[in-house]
């Protein structure tokens, strides 16, 4: 037992004892915090600093305190949840519990957990979840969750079947069936166990759909697979109770192995900001070095003339001390509260996105799982989208079937007269399912009592020459429907109000086919102890019930692209049914490839599915074979040996997996084609319009799907990615392989790109395999990507989950300056979502893996428009200007400190009072900036509804996509502005007060009078500058600037006059009595803002960008006629065209 983990669950990072040291360690893993702590410690050295050390420790203490309080609150919440989870009562089989103690536990548990079922046999004890150990036998009732990973032993139904919901693990609400070993199930019930056993399991893995092991009893041993596993966190449904033995506990359970697997992403803006901090740090060090050299030079020349200058120090020591002194004085070049402010702003933006009613779809709001990359949403250049469930509804409707050589169903995919089709009638069966299939010919065939043999017989021959014949159309149709009713993993329940079963499963396609089979003539009733119960007969006919033994099931996965079952029918025939993609199934047929090319049945089928695919429909091939009993028994024995193998290491596990795959491939050979299905998956609402608007915003949409080339191409046209009027479609598929090889003809591909009409748009249609081979061809990746980048739309079909990620990764590397976004709804989209800069998951009908693995989750594809055009654009605008303004205001504040060095002989004397240095960022300038970053707008998506916003927003998106705000040019301009404003705020008070008498009583100016005046100028300049750069001024902004910033500063200044804690005490009244104080402030504001206002008017009215143009349009739209509004829109299009084509950034944008 010592090798097994405790079942104690701990998701909190800290304990009550480790919180303080570990949380502090976490904070000082940030480079910025280390920097500010080092400067605070240096200020404690009198030889280095003239500042009060307390004023340096207060800001760093405040910033770290806020971060630690946030972490502490989050950790406490996790602790409460952990405590609740660990104290959950669990019923464990025990023979030593006393009845009195058990009754006391029952009463106590019922009081603490009222919903807990205490009506259970006396042979069980109640323990807490944290005390559950491997080997315990646990009793779980319906709707309860499993306390650990259990191996199913017995169930309340007596048939060994149980149903579980795994939404907590993978988000899927569809029920999954679990089946106990029949020979064990009959020996167990919840009151007693009459057997002994030993269990050997594979090492725990995070894979939810894989589990292996063996159970050894006195009389038998049998293999374990995932159908025996009851995972921790899953809940029991539609089953009275189950018993199970604990296999894995605590951190070895699949729930915890799949936890905390998210990745930390960093936005491009934040990456540039970090580089900018390093550049400023180097700049600061360089300035300090220059000042140190100047100080050494000055002292060497003038020390003898100034008796108070200490010239006993060596030149080297003086240089070092001066360098450190000014490094401390100028440390405000780097804003200490920037990181905390960014975290707060991005956290609040999270709620703005989640509260957006326009993104509320399918009874779900948008969900933000990672708010660290909000601004990336406003810079997207490429979107990589799945098709099924992302662009389409995942609402399946059977449109047609082909049984051997006969077609039934929708007339659009078969050549029949209109009279042969019944009027279309749609029946909504359940969420995600429709049924509109109707064919009188098939109905007539199935109702025949004595069907005649056809001219084209269907005959299956086993290896021992046994013949299985399907002579008539009815025989073949019934066999085809049997395949649909047997080859699946769905479960069904019959409602009282209808004669039909309602099915649920992991795949909507599978549910659709099983449901269609029951509505046509073969109903799947139940699966009892691996016995399939089928009812033969149309809905309005008398049904015959048959029992079919399920011998093996090989589930579908994206690599195999097929699913198979081996069954034994009521007549004793052993059959293998298989369904999957046409390519995979055709490769398994007994016909050779040459025979398939001349077989009239397969040729007709290929034409049928190609026609269906051209209309955007989904197709599946169906095949079967009959197996000799001797052949199956010999194969089954080998499979059993593989299943009961218990690998002890990864190498043995891999070997077992390969042996299993080889045996499955062996039995799936030499199949005979029997038919195919055609299913429609409709486009989601507003998909075409969304893609069109994304294109106007300069975003290129790629569709990456596993569907056939013809299906993908048809969907491409129907959703607007491809157009027939003005686009050349470049198609690269198997035809571009060199004959008799699997090598691409690169010369032909290059010629295809080069010869395409450069005046027309380009669309690329390529298979996933061809794309992957192109990347590893003799052509350079840059050359390939350069050609592909010329395409307006790209569709990559026949792509596996891994190939989807390869496509995204290739574009990320080829376009490092562009933001790539991936969106999907299924588990096969998770690799692509993880690979992209921004991952979007859609709440899908195929599960919640994509949504849970993403950065943002939405209900439908059309929500992407609001997420990018509104929230993404505003997040970029707000965060970019927040960072720029932070550096600007700190340069304005710090530059007077630097300039004062030239007036104090580089002595290291501070220009500002120590407490003023601390309060500048923490109190006097932070609140209005944060409010601007939260509520800034150029065009308001609610209040400016009079504008054609749907038309306007795409032309405003280039603001972030073209990096028009946060770029190195604008950074330099803001830095230059900070230097100019800092110089004005320093020199005007110096000139105004120098050698002046302040009052009749004779007092003259001194350092703190000039300092308070300069500081007041700085506070006013940066706050009023904030107002002039705010596009959307509300009472909130006014509240932040005046009462909460300037007002707070005025109060603090007057308080400092009466507190000895401040070095400026008794200087404030003296300063305010002088008219020079007010003249200096007015002169400073006038000089700095004369140029500001001129540039603001120039940007808004003379040469505006698209954003500024729309601001003016929004204010005037009520006065404009329809014709004038149309002209404004054309002018907006022109401005956007100039910005995109010329790529020019105007000098004064965003100043």
């Amino acid at each position: 037992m010592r090798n097994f983990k405790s079942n104690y669950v701990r998701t909190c990072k800290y304990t009550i004892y480790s919180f303080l040291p570990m949380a502090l360690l976490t904070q000082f893993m940030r480079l910025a915090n280390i920097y500010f702590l080092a400067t605070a410690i240096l200020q404690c050295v009198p030889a280095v600093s003239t500042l009060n050390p307390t004023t340096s420790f207060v800001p760093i203490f405040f910033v770290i305190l806020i971060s630690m309080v946030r972490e502490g609150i989050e950790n406490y919440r996790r602790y409460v949840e952990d405590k609740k989870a660990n104290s959950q009562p669990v019923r464990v089989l025990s023979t030593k519990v006393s009845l009195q103690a058990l009754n006391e536990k029952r009463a106590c548990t019922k009081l603490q957990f009222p919903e807990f079922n205490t009506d259970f046999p006396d042979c069980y004890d109640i323990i807490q979840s944290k005390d559950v150990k491997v080997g315990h036998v646990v009793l779980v009732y319906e709707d309860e969750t499993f306390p650990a990973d259990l191996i199913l032993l017995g169930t309340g139904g007596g048939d060994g079947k149980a149903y579980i919901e795994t939404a907590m693990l993978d988000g899927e609400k569809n029920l999954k069936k679990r089946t106990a070993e029949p020979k064990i199930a009959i020996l167990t019930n919840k009151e007693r166990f009459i057997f002994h056993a030993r269990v050997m399991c594979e090492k725990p893995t995070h894979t939810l759909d894989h589990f292996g092991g063996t159970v050894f009893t006195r009389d038998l041993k049998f293999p374990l697979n995932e159908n025996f596993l009851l995972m921790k966190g899953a809940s029991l449904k539609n089953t009275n109770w189950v018993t199970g033995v604990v296999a894995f506990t605590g951190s070895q359970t699949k729930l915890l192995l799949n936890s905390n697997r998210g990745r930390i992403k960093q936005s491009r803006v934040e990456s540039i900001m970090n580089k900018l901090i390093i550049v400023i740090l180097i700049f600061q060090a360089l300035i300090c070095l220059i000042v140190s050299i100047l100080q050494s030079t000055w002292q060497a020349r003038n020390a003898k003339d100034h008796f108070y200058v200490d010239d006993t120090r060596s030149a080297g020591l003086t240089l070092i001390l001066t360098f450190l002194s000014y490094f401390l004085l100028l440390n405000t070049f780097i804003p200490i509260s920037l990181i905390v402010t960014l975290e707060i702003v991005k956290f609040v933006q999270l709620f703005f996105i989640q509260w957006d009613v326009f993104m509320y779809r399918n009874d779900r709001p948008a969900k933000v799982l990672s708010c660290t990359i909000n601004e990336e949403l406003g810079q997207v250049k490429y979107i990589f989208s799945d098709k099924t469930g992302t662009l389409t509804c995942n609402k399946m409707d059977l449109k047609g079937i082909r049984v051997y050589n006969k077609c039934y169903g929708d007339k659009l995919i078969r050549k029949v007269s209109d009279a042969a089709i019944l009027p279309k009638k749609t029946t909504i069966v359940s969420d995600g399912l429709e049924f509109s299939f109707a064919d009188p010919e098939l109905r007539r065939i199935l109702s025949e009592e004595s069907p005649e043999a056809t001219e084209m017989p269907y005959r299956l021959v086993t290896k021992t020459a046994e013949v299985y014949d399907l002579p008539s159309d009815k025989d073949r149709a019934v066999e085809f429907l049997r395949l649909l009713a047997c080859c699946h993993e769905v479960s069904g329940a019959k409602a009282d109000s209808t004669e039909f079963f309602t099915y649920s499963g992991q795949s909507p396609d599978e549910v659709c086919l099983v449901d269609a089979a029951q509505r046509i003539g073969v109903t799947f009733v139940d699966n009892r102890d691996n016995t399939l119960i089928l009812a033969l007969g149309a809905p309005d006919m008398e049904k015959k019930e048959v029992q079919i033994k399920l011998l093996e099931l090989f589930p579908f996965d994206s690599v195999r692209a097929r699913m198979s079952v081996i069954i034994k029918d009521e007549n004793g025939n052993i059959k293998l049914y298989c369904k999957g993609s046409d390519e995979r199934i055709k490769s398994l047929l007994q016909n050779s490839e040459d025979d398939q090319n001349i077989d009239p049945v397969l040729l007709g089928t290929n034409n049928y599915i190609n026609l269906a695919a051209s209309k955007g429909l989904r197709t599946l091939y169906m095949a079967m074979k009959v197996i000799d009993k001797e052949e199956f028994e010999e194969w089954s024995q080998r499979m059993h040996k593989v299943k009961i193998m218990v690998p002890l290491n990864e190498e043995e596990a891999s070997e077992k997996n390969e042996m299993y795959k080889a045996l499955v491939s062996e039995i799936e050979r030499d199949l005979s084609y029997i038919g195919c299905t055609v299913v429609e998956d409709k486009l989601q609402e507003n998909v075409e319009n969304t893609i069109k608007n994304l294109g106007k915003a300069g975003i290129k949409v790629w569709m990456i799907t596993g569907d056939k080339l013809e299906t993908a191409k048809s969907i491409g046209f129907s959703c607007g990615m491809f157009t027939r009027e003005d686009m050349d479609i470049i198609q690269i598929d198997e035809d571009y392989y060199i004959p008799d090889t699997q090598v691409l003809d690169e010369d032909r591909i290059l010629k295809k790109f080069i010869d395409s009409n450069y005046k027309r748009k380009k669309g690329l249609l390529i298979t996933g395999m061809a794309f992957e081979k192109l990347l590893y061809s003799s052509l350079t990746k840059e050359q390939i990507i350069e050609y592909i980048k010329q395409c307006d739309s790209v569709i990559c079909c026949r792509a596996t989950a891994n190939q989807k990620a390869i496509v995204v990764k290739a574009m990320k590397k080829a376009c490092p300056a562009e933001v790539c976004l991936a969106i999907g709804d299924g588990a096969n989209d998770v690799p692509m979502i993880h690979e992209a800069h921004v991952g979007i998951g859609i709440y899908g009908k195929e599960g919640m893996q994509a949504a849970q693995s993403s950065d943002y989750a939405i209900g439908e594809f059309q929500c992407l428009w609001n997420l990018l055009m509104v929230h993404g654009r505003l997040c970029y605008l707000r965060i970019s200007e927040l960072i720029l303004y932070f550096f600007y205001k700190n340069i304005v504040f710090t530059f007077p400190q630097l300039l004062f060095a030239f007036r104090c002989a580089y002595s290291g004397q501070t220009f500002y009072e120590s407490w003023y240095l601390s309060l500048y960022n923490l109190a006097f300038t932070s609140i209005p900036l944060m409010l601007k970053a939260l509520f800034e707008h150029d065009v308001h998506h609610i209040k400016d509804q009079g504008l054609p916003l749907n038309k306007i927003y795409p032309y405003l998106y280039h603001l972030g996509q073209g990096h028009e705000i946060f770029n190195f040019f604008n950074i330099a301009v803001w830095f230059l502005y900070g230097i100019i404003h800092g110089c004005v705020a320093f020199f005007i008070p110096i000139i105004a007060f120098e050698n002046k008498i302040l009052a009749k009583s004779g007092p003259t100016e001194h350092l703190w009078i000039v300092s308070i005046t300069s500081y007041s100028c700085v506070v006013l300049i940066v706050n009023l500058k904030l107002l002039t750069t705010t596009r959307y001024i509300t009472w909130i902004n006014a509240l932040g600037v005046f009462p909460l910033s300037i007002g707070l500063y005025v109060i603090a200044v007057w308080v400092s006059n009466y507190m000895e804690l401040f070095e400026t005490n008794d200087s404030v009244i003296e300063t305010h009595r002088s008219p020079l104080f007010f003249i200096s402030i007015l002169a400073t504001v006038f000089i700095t803002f004369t140029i500001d206002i001129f540039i603001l008017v120039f940007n808004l009215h003379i040469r505006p960008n698209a954003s500024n143009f729309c601001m003016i349009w929004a204010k005037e739209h009520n006065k404009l006629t329809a014709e004038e509004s149309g002209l404004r829109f054309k002018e907006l299009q022109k401005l956007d065209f100039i910005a995109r084509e010329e790529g020019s950034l105007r000098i004064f944008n965003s100043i």
Side-chain angles (χ1 to χ4, degrees), residues 595-639:
D595 291 340
Q596 291 180 28
N597 292 332
I598 61 173
D599 188 324
V601 174
L602 291 177
L603 285 174
T605 301
N606 289 338
N607 293 334
Y608 178 77
I609 65 168
N610 287 336
L611 178 61
S614 68
K615 300 180 181 301
L617 304 176
R618 299 162 63 86
T619 59
L620 279 178
Y621 253 59
M622 309 292 166
M624 64 174 290
K625 79 172 185 179
V626 178
I627 307 173
D628 290 319
K629 293 181 181 178
E630 295 78 10
E631 177 191 358
F632 175 75
E633 287 176 2
E634 186 273 334
W635 176 89
S636 181
Q637 288 176 2
R638 288 187 287 142
M639 176 60 84

Side-chain angles (χ1 to χ4, degrees), residues 365-369 839-843 850-852 854-859 867:
K367 185 176 181 181
V368 179
L369 292 94
I840 308 290
I842 289 183
Y843 300 116
Q852 291 176 330
S854 64
D855 303 305
Y856 304 87
I858 56 178
L867 186 63

Side-chain angles (χ1 to χ4, degrees), residues 231-279:
M231 294 174 284
K232 179 182 178 70
S235 56
L236 184 65
K237 300 291 182 183
N238 297 350
T239 310
N240 292 333
W241 56 264
V242 296
T243 54
V245 61
V246 177
F248 301 121
T249 53
S251 60
Q252 292 185 333
T253 59
K254 292 190 180 292
L255 175 66
L256 269 70
L257 287 171
N258 281 277
S259 300
N260 301 323
R261 299 176 66 199
R263 301 175 298 115
I264 298 174
K265 295 183 180 180
Q266 187 180 58
S267 70
R268 182 179 182 274
V269 169
E270 201 164 328
S271 177
I272 295 174
M273 182 194 74
N274 291 335
K275 293 175 183 175
L276 186 59
I277 289 175
I278 294 173
V279 170

Side-chain angles (χ1 to χ4, degrees), residues 346-347 349-354 359 365-374 377 843 854-857 867:
K346 289 184 178 183
F347 181 71
Q349 286 175 348
L350 174 157
F351 294 103
F352 290 164
I353 294 173
Q354 294 185 162
M359 291 201 293
K367 185 176 181 181
V368 179
L369 292 94
S370 173
C371 62
T372 59
I373 54 172
N374 290 346
L377 294 171
Y843 300 116
S854 64
D855 303 305
Y856 304 87
L867 186 63

Side-chain angles (χ1 to χ4, degrees), residues 136-373:
H136 277 164
V137 174
V138 176
L139 172 66
V140 179
Y141 283 97
E142 185 175 3
D143 294 326
E144 293 179 353
T145 58
F146 302 111
D149 286 355
L150 312 178
I151 297 171
L152 180 61
L153 297 177
T155 66
D159 55 1
K161 286 195 308 182
Y163 294 92
I164 65 172
E165 183 184 279
T166 59
M168 192 170 177
L169 288 96
D170 57 15
E172 295 182 6
K173 292 188 176 180
N174 297 316
L175 301 185
K176 297 179 177 63
K177 188 174 71 173
R178 294 293 185 260
T179 308
E181 168 62 31
K183 293 178 182 178
I184 297 296
I186 61 176
L187 299 175
T188 65
N189 58 44
K190 65 178 179 178
E191 296 182 2
R192 62 174 185 159
F193 283 71
I194 52 175
F195 79 101
H196 295 275
R198 180 168 59 92
V199 180
M200 290 185 66
C201 299
E202 294 181 2
K203 289 185 176 180
T205 65
H206 71 270
T207 310
L208 297 179
D209 57 358
H210 176 75
F211 174 71
T214 305
V215 174
F216 301 89
T217 68
R218 292 175 180 174
D219 303 321
L220 67 122
K221 67 176 181 178
F222 61 89
L224 298 173
N225 56 33
E226 58 276 5
N227 290 322
F228 289 85
L229 189 62
L230 308 174
M231 294 174 284
K232 179 182 178 70
S235 56
L236 184 65
K237 300 291 182 183
N238 297 350
T239 310
N240 292 333
W241 56 264
V242 296
T243 54
V245 61
V246 177
F248 301 121
T249 53
S251 60
Q252 292 185 333
T253 59
K254 292 190 180 292
L255 175 66
L256 269 70
L257 287 171
N258 281 277
S259 300
N260 301 323
R261 299 176 66 199
R263 301 175 298 115
I264 298 174
K265 295 183 180 180
Q266 187 180 58
S267 70
R268 182 179 182 274
V269 169
E270 201 164 328
S271 177
I272 295 174
M273 182 194 74
N274 291 335
K275 293 175 183 175
L276 186 59
I277 289 175
I278 294 173
V279 170
I280 293 174
L281 193 60
I282 295 171
F283 173 73
Q284 178 184 337
L286 184 61
I287 288 177
C288 293
L289 181 61
I290 293 171
V291 171
S292 301
I293 294 171
L294 290 174
Q295 198 278 337
S296 298
T297 304
W298 183 93
Q299 182 169 321
R301 292 178 179 177
N302 302 292
K304 293 179 181 180
D305 300 330
H306 299 80
F307 67 91
Y308 51 83
V309 175
D310 183 7
D311 58 352
T312 60
R313 297 172 182 166
S314 65
L317 180 61
T318 301
L319 185 74
I320 293 172
L321 291 177
T322 305
F323 179 89
L324 293 175
S325 295
Y326 277 96
F327 196 82
L328 295 177
L329 289 174
L330 303 181
N331 74 70
T332 49
F333 268 129
I334 298 175
I336 188 171
S337 57
L338 173 59
I339 305 299
V340 173
T341 306
L342 270 177
E343 285 183 357
I344 294 172
V345 168
K346 289 184 178 183
F347 181 71
V348 176
Q349 286 175 348
L350 174 157
F351 294 103
F352 290 164
I353 294 173
Q354 294 185 162
W355 292 340
D356 189 345
V357 295
F358 296 105
M359 291 201 293
Y360 194 89
R361 293 289 186 278
N362 301 325
D363 296 326
R364 290 179 181 270
K367 185 176 181 181
V368 179
L369 292 94
S370 173
C371 62
T372 59
I373 54 172

Side-chain angles (χ1 to χ4, degrees), residues 825-840:
D825 76 315
N828 62 330
D829 300 316
V830 171
M832 173 176 72
I833 288 171
H834 278 170
E835 187 61 50
H837 295 112
V838 181
I840 308 290

